[in-house]
Amino acid sequence: QQARLAGAASGALQKLRAAGMPETEDAYEVHSALEPRIPVHEAAFEPLMLACRDRRPVTFDYRKGNAARPEQRQVEPWTLECWRGHWYLAGWDRDRGAERVFRLSRISGRVRSRAGAFTARVPDAVTVRETVESWAGETATRTARIRLRTGSGYPLRSRAISVRELGDGWDELEIPYGHGLDAWLVEFGPDVIVSEPADLRADVMDRLRAVAKD
């Protein structure tokens, strides 16, 4: 919702087109009417986004999942990634001399900027995203087969290992199956049907039943 995010919104449209989103006659109107809107509740998001953009080191208090109290961290922020509905910061931890990933919901207090240049090389975006997935426990060890309605589910298509046309308005995708996939598939509602494995299908059905009760 900030003017400075307009460039990110434009870049997102380009990625959607690259992933196969069809062009429409009113594409220009859609682009011109687009308002960037990022669903985030953590106060640390905006200062960290600006620090990533400007390549400014930061300090903040961070509580690890198994810690009773937060501790101060000195970080060279690389990028923010949203994974399965949670925001993460990837960067270089100066105190530990290694790359680290921080979940924004565990940052407490104010994010403070520090003067000076980065001391570590910033890796490419693909490498950073792989680091976030691994740290968040989302690295898939097997695959799932799903049916996806034709012309929908572009984020799923971008992750697919294979795509096969079934006809009658459906495609079959093979996608990596990691922790949290059931919650992600539910977001696509009736456009997705899980074929296998059986445990994933059961988890998705349980979530859909819970939504229906609400």
Side-chain angles (χ1 to χ4, degrees):
Q1 292 176 295
Q2 303 290 334
R4 58 176 166 267
L5 293 179
S10 178
L13 281 177
Q14 293 177 10
K15 290 180 180 180
L16 286 172
R17 294 190 185 100
M21 183 182 75
E23 292 285 352
T24 61
E25 293 182 359
D26 59 348
Y28 176 78
E29 286 78 3
V30 171
H31 181 274
S32 61
L34 179 68
E35 289 187 6
R37 185 179 297 273
I38 298 179
V40 61
H41 304 287
E42 293 84 358
F45 177 85
E46 184 165 352
L48 287 175
M49 179 197 67
L50 297 176
C52 291
R53 183 196 67 182
D54 299 337
R55 294 287 188 258
R56 291 200 313 268
V58 295
T59 62
F60 50 78
D61 294 332
Y62 187 77
R63 180 184 60 79
K64 294 193 295 185
N66 57 354
R69 296 180 179 179
E71 61 180 22
Q72 187 177 91
R73 312 296 282 268
Q74 301 184 63
V75 179
E76 298 173 11
W78 294 338
T79 189
L80 291 166
E81 289 281 351
C82 185
W83 190 246
R84 299 296 189 266
H86 300 288
W87 283 97
Y88 298 90
L89 170 72
W92 182 260
D93 190 318
R94 287 181 169 180
D95 295 320
R96 289 155 181 78
E99 65 179 8
R100 288 291 187 271
V101 176
F102 306 92
R103 185 163 163 171
L104 264 61
S105 61
R106 294 177 181 164
I107 295 177
S108 59
R110 189 168 62 90
V111 175
R112 300 170 292 277
S113 297
R114 291 290 179 262
F118 279 15
T119 61
R121 182 186 67 84
V122 179
D124 62 74
V126 173
T127 300
V128 171
R129 185 162 184 81
E130 290 174 349
T131 299
V132 172
E133 292 180 16
S134 176
W135 185 92
E138 302 288 355
T139 303
T141 57
R142 48 182 178 153
T143 61
R145 282 195 308 112
I146 65 170
R147 294 177 63 192
L148 181 64
R149 203 179 300 274
T150 302
S152 65
Y154 298 105
L156 289 172
R157 294 178 187 277
S158 68
R159 296 275 294 171
I161 297 172
S162 65
V163 179
R164 183 168 66 94
E165 293 184 7
L166 297 178
D168 296 328
W170 291 90
D171 299 325
E172 184 180 76
L173 279 66
E174 183 180 5
I175 59 176
Y177 177 16
H179 172 71
L181 179 58
D182 56 330
W184 194 28
L185 293 178
V186 168
E187 296 177 9
F188 296 92
D191 291 334
V192 167
I193 299 175
V194 178
S195 300
E196 60 180 32
D199 55 341
L200 175 62
R201 180 181 175 87
D203 289 341
V204 170
M205 292 178 66
D206 287 343
R207 286 183 175 273
L208 288 173
R209 291 191 186 100
V211 171
K213 288 180 180 179
D214 294 338

